[in-house]
Amino acid sequence: MKKRILAALAAAAAALSLLSACGEGVVDPNAASNQSAVSEAVSSALQESDVEDSLSGLESYMLSQGYISGAAAQMNGSLIGALEEGHRYVANGVTAEFYQYDLENLSDTANAVRASVEENGTFEIVGQTISGVYLSDSGKYLMIYQNSAADKESQAKTQAAIEAFQSFKSE
């Protein structure tokens, strides 16, 4: 049993070391010329009402809005008391992870992580502090969102992503 716990902690530490990476940070010198394509993509994006209230619905919505991109990598949600499977997206300097909680069956770990996020937007795992963490208004979802770009447009995108995430299916 202790070996399994140590193995899980080692896996978590390895995953967290990837989380603290700088991201891809690719700069597109033609970004200004792509603005009309971006505007067209956003106008045809899914609306919140077009997707179901689920982790896959949330991710589809965030993808269609352009807040995340790339392919999803599977993450172990149980390390933070969430449902087993979470997802991580890394592209264009943005790293985002999404997890879902069963609000009817929260473990002590889930309650501790959620309380820490509500208090200061961080949580501790394997001796590391994870920042840039948000709970949805419904309390059902957790997002870790980090944007390595610091320009005004990127920061505005980050703020819009946080707001879209937090209000997702908050009825």
Side-chain angles (χ1 to χ4, degrees), residues 114-152:
R114 291 164 51 83
S116 180
V117 171
E118 286 175 350
E119 184 177 325
N120 57 30
T122 66
F123 66 87
E124 297 281 328
I125 187 168
V126 198
Q128 290 189 333
T129 301
I130 307 301
S131 59
V133 187
Y134 308 91
L135 280 175
S136 64
D137 292 344
S138 69
K140 189 174 180 179
Y141 305 104
L142 180 138
M143 175 179 76
I144 303 168
Y145 194 93
Q146 299 173 338
N147 189 341
S148 64
D151 61 275
K152 287 184 181 182

Side-chain angles (χ1 to χ4, degrees), residues 56-150:
S56 65
L58 169 63
E59 291 171 14
S60 294
Y61 174 67
M62 296 295 281
L63 281 162
S64 76
Q65 295 295 316
Y67 299 131
I68 59 173
S69 59
Q74 194 170 348
M75 303 297 288
N76 185 354
S78 65
L79 294 173
I80 60 169
L83 297 178
E84 285 294 319
E85 186 177 318
H87 298 108
R88 172 191 245 178
Y89 295 82
V90 180
N92 304 320
V94 172
T95 300
E97 293 184 30
F98 299 93
Y99 300 93
Q100 181 176 343
Y101 286 98
D102 176 358
L103 298 178
E104 302 297 321
N105 191 22
L106 294 173
S107 66
D108 290 342
T109 300
N111 285 325
V113 167
R114 291 164 51 83
S116 180
V117 171
E118 286 175 350
E119 184 177 325
N120 57 30
T122 66
F123 66 87
E124 297 281 328
I125 187 168
V126 198
Q128 290 189 333
T129 301
I130 307 301
S131 59
V133 187
Y134 308 91
L135 280 175
S136 64
D137 292 344
S138 69
K140 189 174 180 179
Y141 305 104
L142 180 138
M143 175 179 76
I144 303 168
Y145 194 93
Q146 299 173 338
N147 189 341
S148 64

